[in-house]
Structure formats: C-alpha cells, structure tokens
Amino acid sequence: MDAELLSRIQFALTAGFHFIFPPITIGFGLFIVLIEGLWLKTGDTRYRRAAEFFLKLFGLLFAIGVATGIVMVFQFGTNWPVYSNFVGDVFGSPLAIEATFAFFMESSFLGIALWGWNRVGKKTHFFSTVMVCVGAHLSAVWIIAANSFMQTPAGFELQKLAVGANGARVWETLPHGTVPAVADIASTKAAITNFWEMALNPSTLDRLTHTLAASWLCGAFLALGICGYYIVKKRADADFAKPCANVALAFGVISSLLMLATGHASARKLAHTQPEKLAAFEAHYETEAHAPLYLFGWVDEKAQTVRGVEVGGWFSLLAYGNTNAVVTGLRDLPTDDFLKKIHPEATAAELADIRPQYWAPINFTFQSFRAMVYLGGAMGFLLAWGCLLWMFKKLLREDFKWARLFWLACIPSVLLPLCASQVGWAAAEVGRQPWIVWHILKTQDAVTTTALPAEILASTLLFVCIFTVLTALFLYVFFKKIKQGPDIPHAAGY
C-alpha cells in the first residue's frame, strides 16, 4: 500500500472514532440543560439528581472526545502537509477560533457544572450548564464552517508565489476558478478575502443545521437508553428515570423532525453546489427528466448500471420539487467547461473517457447514503412507537408488555444515531472525492511527500492499539457509572 491510501485509512479511523463523541456531547448537553431547567422551574429534586448524574456521564464523554480529537489534528501536519500549506490560512482560522473560544468556554464551565453543586447558587450553576451546551454547539459551528469550505469554498482567492521585477518573491493572485496544476500546488495557497463569506459559504448553514439535528438525536437516544435501562430494572434509586424519559422522548421526536427537514434541505442544496455528489448518492448516470430514485440496489460501476427497486420521478421531486425536473447525470458531470481547465487539449471523446476519474466511489456512496436513511427510518419507527404508548398513557406502565418491549428496545437503540452519523459523514466525505477542496485540490495531491508507507502503517497500528485501550477503559467506567446509578439524595446535599 502507498502513502496516500495509508494516510486515507489512518485519517478515516481517527476521524471516525473521534466523531463518535462530539455529536453525543452536543445533544446530551442540550438534554441536560432541559432537565436542569425543569428542576429550577418545578423544584422537583428528581430533576436535580438526574442533571447531576447526567453531567458526570457528560464529563466522561467530553474527556474521551478531547483525547481522540488531539490525535486527529496532528495528522494535518504529518500526513497532509501539502493540504495544510495550501489552505492553512483559510482552514486554520475557524479551527483556531474553535480551540481558543468554544473549546475553552465548554471546558471551563464544565468544571463549575461538575463540581459547583452546593457551592454556587442554582441560577449560577444553571448558567454554567447552559454555557457548556453553548460551547459544544459553537465548536460544531466552527468545525462545520471549516469542513464546509472544503465542500463549497468561498470568500478566498488563490495566490501563486512568483518572482517580481526586482527579483523579490511576491504572491500573484490567480484568476477566479483556476484549478492549479500539480506542479504548481507547492507554490500556491488559498488566502481569505472575506472571512464571513468563507465561514458562511454556500453549504455551511444547511450542513450545520443537519449536523446539530443529528447530534440532538444522539443525545436524545442516549437519554432514552439510560432511562430505559433504569425503567426495565425498576431501580428505586433512579426515580428520575420516568420523568426524564418523557423529556427524552419529546426531545427525540422534535430532533427527528428537524433531522428530516434539514436533511432534505441539504440534499436540495447539493443539486446546485455539488451535483456530482448528489448524482453519486443516487448512482444517477443519465441526464433525464422524471429521474427515478432507488429504494435499494447495487451499483455496477464498471457497466455504470444499477439493479434495484426504483420509484420513477422521486429523484426529480426530491432534488427540484418537481417530478418532471431534469436531473443531470454523472455522464455529464463534471461539465466539459470545468474539465477543459484541467485538460485543455482533450477532445470531447477524450473528456468522456476522463470524466469517471472525477467521480466518487459510486457504490460505496450509494450504499452509505441509504444506510443513513434507513437507520433514520428505524429511529423514526421507535419514536413513533413511544409516542403511541404515550398517547394511550401506557408509556410508563411497567406491567404493559409493549411498554416493556419499547424500553428494552431503547437500550441498544443508543447505537442507531451514532451509526447513522458515521455512515452519513462517510457519504458526505467520500461523495466529494476525488477532491479534498472541491474543484480546486485533489486528495491525492494533498498527501505527504516525505513520510514512508511503513511509518504511516506503524503509526496507524499504534493508534488502533491506543483507541482499543481507550475504548475498553471508557466503556468500563461509563457502564460501571450507569450500573452504580446516581448518588444517594442525603449524601449529595439535597
């Protein structure tokens, strides 16, 4: 294996492992705010005990998230130095803001939230919990802004290092839309021209709202799973489980509806900003009206065909709101005008042969996108089940068979939004290949030119060992804390 493939594998492993934790902390943090707010409003000490207990679990999730994030960041310098040099001025700005502002806000107020019970006033403590939640959300804002620049770059210009008239080295601005040649990448960089245009690029808001909705679902299902465990076990020391379960169910329902709306909006935006990615999601090769949508299937990338169950016109409807709308297929993407920038001497026939080089791995993208959708469907089914039980006042009836089955199903369902987030993120990132910065810099041209494959393989194996140990320790402590349950009321100063 070469350095490029090994670097891709290593980053996928570290990023995928790290991405388990931020969505949970974002969603779980908001859930804790709701619970502590209910304590302030009602005076019910069950909510106080729940908030204190959930904050301890949040602290464990936050700690492991920080540890895994540090490992991932170092790879920008070790495995992707060409990328870091090319977009460092742009990419570094939101990451620096996230680290120096959002992260430190979250971590500082978390200390008060964890250890400030009975040391600060109720409102002061609630403010700290809110700030922890706000800090987690602000971290998401800047991380998504940085990543969205890679998807739909804006607010920048390309500059190339050149020799001026007096022999001095100067940065010359390249024309808008330039795609640097491979030989020029080392002497070319992206520079910010408008910070807010860069941060609020065409995909930022859609991707941010979708990511936050997914994170809220992660938090809601974690809360449902924990409450379900205590309800099934009939734990007397976890009397907060039932009232908190109601909150978690409502939180999950609202988050799922937002998830559906933001997901649809994100897909509609792709039709205009990244049509190649959208076509890859649906393995749509031909440009046609009344384009079909495949419920499931298998893509033969060599023959450029799909075998599966399709619904005529649905792709056109979802992409453009009209079943007869024309959807551009992969055989016409990227456009000839764009390919001519990179292959100016190519004929029309040659461009047709070159075009597949600029497609993502179609079957992987097609399948991962559907996995995300169907996992979302499973979550929707479970939430609908819970709503029916609530409507008929059976949700918290321990003697009712279907209620007990529901809570048993909620315990492993914690994994559903986490898996959906993983495959959804994979679809989004693989779907923009071969570009690391859309239509500007290819991934294969951004990898290290100095690290040896053996070095990358060795570090990958080391990361796997470290993550395995971290996972084992985290799961042991996390599950032990859940099994142990909350503190005894009189010992906690209630």
Side-chain angles (χ1 to χ4, degrees), residues 96-431:
I97 294 172
E98 188 274 336
T100 58
F101 180 63
F103 171 75
F104 281 109
M105 173 192 289
E106 183 180 6
S107 55
S108 298
F109 281 104
L110 180 58
I112 301 174
L114 283 173
W115 295 291
W117 298 101
N118 303 319
R119 291 182 175 87
V120 298
K122 293 181 179 180
K123 292 183 179 179
T124 301
H125 190 278
F126 179 64
F127 176 77
S128 299
T129 305
V130 171
M131 287 299 100
V132 170
C133 177
V134 171
H137 282 69
L138 286 178
S139 289
V141 169
W142 295 112
I143 295 298
I144 293 298
N147 184 265
S148 294
F149 175 84
M150 300 163 69
Q151 306 279 349
T152 52
F156 76 104
E157 64 182 15
L158 290 181
Q159 298 176 349
K160 187 176 185 303
L161 192 61
V163 179
N166 59 355
R169 293 158 60 110
V170 296
W171 289 100
E172 293 183 348
T173 301
L174 299 177
H176 178 72
T178 298
V179 181
V182 175
D184 296 329
I185 290 173
S187 59
T188 305
K189 69 174 184 177
I192 296 175
T193 56
N194 186 316
F195 175 81
W196 290 111
E197 187 178 341
M198 178 276 298
L200 300 175
N201 60 74
S203 66
T204 296
L205 293 180
D206 285 305
R207 300 180 75 247
L208 175 63
T209 53
H210 191 53
T211 301
L212 290 180
S215 300
W216 296 345
L217 266 179
C218 289
F221 271 82
L222 177 60
L224 279 172
I226 295 171
C227 292
Y229 170 78
Y230 290 134
I231 291 171
V232 169
K233 292 290 184 179
K234 300 179 181 180
R235 291 274 295 265
D237 62 335
D239 56 347
F240 61 79
K242 289 185 177 181
C244 288
N246 281 322
V247 179
L249 180 62
F251 184 35
V253 169
I254 294 171
S255 300
S256 65
L257 294 175
L258 291 173
M259 186 73 175
L260 186 63
T262 57
H264 179 60
S266 296
R268 291 283 295 272
K269 181 58 68 75
L270 287 179
H272 303 284
T273 59
Q274 294 177 288
E276 295 101 300
K277 180 194 283 191
L278 183 62
F281 282 167
E282 297 300 331
H284 187 67
Y285 286 99
E286 296 291 344
T287 299
E288 59 183 329
H290 201 68
L293 182 142
Y294 283 89
L295 299 180
F296 56 85
W298 190 262
V299 184
D300 185 335
E301 296 186 48
K302 193 170 185 180
Q304 298 182 6
T305 57
V306 185
R307 288 178 293 175
V309 177
E310 63 179 72
V311 181
W314 274 28
F315 189 20
S316 294
L317 177 65
L318 293 175
Y320 295 103
N322 184 343
T323 56
N324 293 316
V326 175
V327 180
T328 306
L330 286 165
R331 291 194 180 103
D332 294 312
L333 294 170
T335 64
D336 285 351
D337 290 340
F338 175 77
L339 290 178
K340 279 287 188 180
K341 296 178 182 179
I342 309 171
H343 307 280
E345 305 299 327
T347 64
E350 289 171 335
L351 288 178
D353 292 334
I354 292 170
R355 187 168 278 113
Q357 300 175 20
Y358 296 88
W359 297 346
I362 305 300
N363 192 48
F364 179 90
T365 308
F366 178 89
Q367 303 298 347
S368 57
F369 182 75
R370 271 149 189 77
M372 177 190 69
V373 171
Y374 286 120
L375 285 167
M379 288 183 276
F381 171 80
L382 191 62
L383 291 170
W385 183 2
C387 285
L388 284 174
L389 290 171
W390 177 83
M391 288 172 60
F392 289 100
K393 302 185 186 305
K394 302 286 189 181
L395 180 63
L396 301 176
R397 287 274 303 274
E398 297 172 357
D399 58 335
F400 186 60
K401 179 180 70 173
W402 292 106
R404 181 174 175 81
L405 286 174
F406 170 75
W407 291 115
L408 282 170
C410 281
I411 298 172
S413 74
V414 172
L415 296 174
L416 289 176
L418 294 177
C419 292
S421 295
Q422 289 285 323
V423 294
W425 197 260
E429 297 305 300
V430 175

